[in-house]
Amino acid sequence: MNKYLAEFVGTFWLVLGGCGSAVLAAAFPEVGIGLLGVSLAFGLTVLTMAFAIGHISGCHLNPAVSVGLWAGGRFPATELLPYIVAQVLGGLVAGGVLYVIASGQAGFDVSAGFASNGYGDHSPGQYSLLAALVCEVVMTMMFLIVIMGATDSRAPAGFAPIAIGLCLTLIHLISIPVTNTSVNPARSTGVAAYVGDWAIAQLWLFWLAPIVGAVIGATIYKVIAREGEQTQ
């Protein structure tokens, strides 16, 4: 149970820290942190939690990461469902806490988005479904390659959290205008549940695309890693 609780707490922090920065601070009058600040916030949540709970649960914080690590031979299938349940519950609780805080401001309107992911009319840059699909698949694919590479036994020890946190920051810098950046079904579900309506209707994409991308990324890394072993 300690592993599942760690995943719950870690995902709670990711959604509260990342989505909280977008909802509460991104456009705050005159001193808003903007897209760069939100990108850093997401990266910092993973960086801090990787040091805090990485030795307990592996710090997945993301159903797509758990599935990708399973596909890459790094995670047992028997623990997939409990991890995913813990991650989604952590995201939902964080979304609830964020809703309570955000709704304390006069004029708050959850239907405006609440940091939800979307495509078409609900994409920050009005990007199409195809663009959103490709973006989420490719970004999650690269995320898994970095995760698996940084945590490889041949990689420099102790630096994985930094590489993974910076990778998530970079992913957000690239893709916030396209989908508001998911690469994480638990993050998407955690806020979409409070928006309802269009956010729930489009949520399928932010489960499907990250999981597909994660499996592709893990598969690519397995090939790369095998080739690296043969050349040593």
Side-chain angles (χ1 to χ4, degrees):
M1 284 299 296
N2 62 331
K3 292 186 292 187
Y4 310 141
L5 181 59
E7 285 297 304
F8 174 92
V9 172
T11 311
F12 172 89
W13 184 230
L14 183 147
V15 173
L16 184 61
C19 295
S21 71
V23 172
L24 304 175
F28 191 77
E30 298 180 11
V31 291
I33 61 175
L35 298 187
L36 175 59
V38 174
S39 299
L40 283 170
F42 273 100
L44 288 171
T45 61
V46 171
L47 174 62
T48 53
M49 273 296 127
F51 280 115
I53 66 169
H55 55 286
I56 300 171
S57 68
C59 193
H60 298 185
L61 317 186
N62 183 337
V65 169
S66 296
V67 172
L69 291 174
W70 163 76
R74 300 272 191 91
F75 190 66
T78 54
E79 294 193 6
L80 264 181
L81 183 58
Y83 262 58
I84 291 172
V85 169
Q87 292 155 0
V88 171
L89 288 176
L92 287 169
V93 173
V97 171
L98 179 57
Y99 181 86
V100 171
I101 297 170
S103 61
Q105 182 183 42
F108 170 71
D109 180 12
V110 71
S111 65
F114 198 52
S116 290
N117 303 112
Y119 55 85
D121 290 340
H122 302 291
S123 156
Q126 308 290 293
Y127 285 83
S128 68
L129 168 59
L130 178 60
L133 174 66
V134 171
C135 183
E136 288 290 327
V137 168
V138 172
M139 293 300 146
T140 316
M141 176 188 77
M142 294 307 302
F143 195 33
L144 259 292
I145 291 173
V146 170
I147 289 171
M148 292 191 68
T151 56
D152 194 304
S153 60
R154 294 167 290 171
F159 293 97
I162 298 172
I164 295 167
L166 288 175
C167 180
L168 190 60
T169 299
L170 176 58
I171 286 169
H172 279 78
L173 287 172
I174 297 168
S175 60
I176 285 178
V178 183
T179 62
N180 225 13
T181 309
S182 172
V183 303
N184 184 339
R187 168 263 188 269
S188 299
T189 304
V191 288
Y194 297 90
V195 178
D197 193 28
W198 64 266
I200 294 294
Q202 295 191 354
L203 185 59
W204 65 271
L205 178 69
F206 303 105
W207 275 86
L208 176 65
I211 288 174
V212 169
V215 171
I216 294 172
T219 303
I220 290 173
Y221 186 76
K222 285 176 70 176
V223 173
I224 295 171
R226 190 179 307 120
E227 290 299 319
E229 290 174 351
Q230 292 173 354
T231 57
Q232 287 183 352

